[in-house]
Amino acid sequence: MAILNSVLVVAPTGKVGLAICHELGKTRSRFKRIAAFKNTSRGGDDAKEKILSDLRDLGLEIVSGTYEDVDIFRGFDVVIMPLGNHGLYLQPQIIDTAIAAGVRHFYPSEFGADLLVGENWHQRYYKYKTITREHLTARSKDTEGLGWTFIQVGRFTEWSVIKHFGIDNANHKATIYGNENGRQSLLSVEDSLAYFMNTLSDPFDESAPTSRQRTYRLNGGPYTWDEIFSTLERITGYPYEVTYIPVERALEKEAHAKEIGDVDLELEASHQLIQGREGTLLPQPWDNSQFPSVKPKGLEEVLKQAFGDPSMRKFLGL
Ligand SMILES: NC(=O)c1ccc[n+]([C@@H]2O[C@H](COP(=O)([O-])OP(=O)(O)OC[C@H]3O[C@@H](n4cnc5c(N)ncnc54)[C@H](OP(=O)(O)O)[C@@H]3O)[C@@H](O)[C@H]2O)c1
């Protein structure tokens, strides 16, 4: 059985990437090597340098170069790629470079819904995520021992109540594509990371594709919009004025965004369409029971913590 011991994180300064690096730093002694990738083809600034220097202090190695530099990827068992929306298209390039360097396992930038549910596979928001999966499948035909891990959590609980999904916490208003009974699977960032770390230590049989090509569905919830807004009302002490719009109207918003060339708006509309169609509801079977040490927190506990955390105020639109 194989276990992943040498880990390289690309996009370590992103929201998910940094959280992953912090978790890895806490359990440094368990790994032979943990490194964060500094992409020199992108502009840096003081904030980014500070993050990387803090990661170095945490005991992570910083490797610098571009996603074409084969030598930088040598010596790692696994590359974790939590790239953000605008960098997702780079994953096939990273995979090819890392494969040339001998890497045989990847955690692509998933950390969301099951892409095989409903119409998810064809949605704009998932375009580069599905291309990445297709690329991995194609490369597995010419790369002996290629494996991957898809982490599915539905939606991070803290992310479910932000402007991107139509919620204005400062004014206690929301515009939601879908209806009050629409469900989503919600798992806190902390619990998602705890499961993620468990999967990194989960051994697999290198000789069996079904064992080394893994999907983990880690479920929290599900919760309806109705439950989410009653929870927000209890936590904030304010009633929320919620307007529900027929979900398919998000298609018009997406088309308009495309027409005016606003990619972020297009992705937002696509995400709202996915959400409204219950695309982030994780189907069974779930894999939580493989990792009984993680006890996922419920919606109210997670949101109470988030709304009580001063560093989360801007993120929550407060
Ligand atoms: N399920 C959920 O609720 C949920 C919530 C949030 C995120 N996610 C998922 O988690 C993953 C990471 O998301 P995130 O929010 O952490 O991402 P992010 O913070 O927006 O970006 C992460 C990193 O991606 C790289 N990047 C961004 N744009 C790039 C570009 N144009 N060219 C090259 N690199 C670029 C940057 O790394 P460098 O500066 O190091 O190059 C950036 O720090 C995504 O797959 C996202 O869908 C899921």
Side-chain angles (χ1 to χ4, degrees):
M1 296 294 269
I3 200 156
L4 300 164
N5 287 317
S6 300
V7 184
L8 174 62
V9 181
V10 302
T13 60
K15 293 181 279 300
V16 174
L18 184 57
I20 285 174
C21 287
H22 284 157
E23 288 307 307
L24 287 166
K26 285 184 208 161
T27 50
R28 211 169 66 246
S29 56
R30 133 81 182 92
F31 297 95
K32 274 198 212 137
R33 200 176 167 197
I34 308 172
F37 196 104
K38 178 179 173 183
N39 179 0
T40 53
S41 68
R42 297 230 316 143
D45 55 26
D46 289 350
K48 214 173 198 176
E49 285 306 323
K50 168 86 171 78
I51 291 174
L52 292 171
S53 138
D54 288 349
L55 290 179
R56 200 178 285 114
D57 292 345
L58 250 188
L60 274 70
E61 185 186 337
I62 308 298
V63 296
S64 303
T66 71
Y67 294 148
E68 281 102 44
D69 291 343
V70 174
D71 283 343
I72 295 177
F73 288 84
R74 284 193 208 287
F76 292 102
D77 300 330
V78 54
V79 174
I80 297 164
M81 302 186 280
L83 289 144
N85 290 341
H86 296 278
L88 290 173
Y89 76 98
L90 293 163
Q91 293 186 94
Q93 165 74 72
I94 296 168
I95 290 165
D96 287 347
T97 306
I99 286 176
V103 176
R104 289 294 176 269
H105 202 95
F106 295 87
Y107 274 64
S109 198
E110 295 251 343
F111 310 102
D114 183 335
L115 303 189
L116 302 177
V117 158
E119 296 167 68
N120 281 358
W121 193 263
H122 304 288
Q123 300 313 305
R124 170 64 181 91
Y125 187 79
Y126 296 133
K127 178 175 173 186
Y128 294 106
K129 297 195 179 203
T130 57
I131 287 175
T132 300
R133 282 198 186 191
E134 284 168 350
H135 192 71
L136 281 169
T137 303
R139 290 306 317 262
S140 71
K141 309 246 180 330
D142 64 20
T143 310
E144 187 62 33
L146 191 65
W148 53 75
T149 303
F150 299 149
I151 299 287
Q152 300 177 351
V153 298
R155 168 91 40 241
F156 293 146
T157 313
E158 299 88 334
W159 253 261
S160 66
V161 294
I162 60 175
K163 186 196 157 288
H164 187 77
F165 294 105
I167 301 173
D168 172 357
N169 288 308
N171 296 302
H172 315 106
K173 285 186 177 168
T175 304
I176 301 296
Y177 288 89
N179 65 54
E180 66 276 20
N181 299 317
R183 296 164 300 169
Q184 46 188 306
S185 300
L186 298 179
L187 192 65
S188 73
V189 172
E190 188 186 333
D191 292 326
S192 302
L193 287 169
Y195 280 122
F196 161 80
M197 290 300 290
N198 273 281
T199 68
L200 260 188
S201 295
D202 201 11
F204 56 90
D205 179 353
E206 281 170 302
S207 64
T210 49
S211 178
R212 65 174 190 258
Q213 296 170 359
R214 316 182 290 181
T215 296
Y216 293 96
R217 276 204 210 106
L218 303 158
N219 179 63
Y223 297 100
T224 63
W225 280 121
D226 211 19
E227 289 168 296
I228 291 170
F229 286 112
S230 354
T231 306
L232 283 175
E233 291 184 357
R234 275 197 302 281
I235 289 171
T236 64
Y238 289 97
Y240 272 63
E241 187 188 319
V242 187
T243 307
Y244 290 100
I245 300 179
V247 62
E248 300 305 313
R249 295 244 324 260
L251 282 168
E252 293 162 25
K253 176 172 168 179
E254 190 181 330
H256 168 70
K258 196 171 177 186
E259 211 173 282
I260 61 172
D262 186 336
V263 175
D264 284 318
L265 189 66
E266 192 185 345
L267 293 172
E268 177 181 299
S270 172
H271 233 156
Q272 290 172 339
L273 182 69
I274 291 162
Q275 194 75 77
R277 289 171 169 169
E278 296 194 332
T280 51
L281 190 62
L282 285 183
Q284 301 211 35
W286 300 321
D287 298 299
N288 304 50
S289 60
Q290 285 187 49
F291 310 113
S293 65
V294 186
K295 313 236 178 294
K297 288 187 286 299
L299 176 69
E300 184 143 357
E301 189 181 350
V302 179
L303 291 186
K304 209 180 254 173
Q305 201 173 321
F307 276 75
D309 178 351
S311 71
M312 291 286 284
R313 288 186 69 78
K314 188 166 172 231
F315 176 75
L316 293 168
L318 294 170

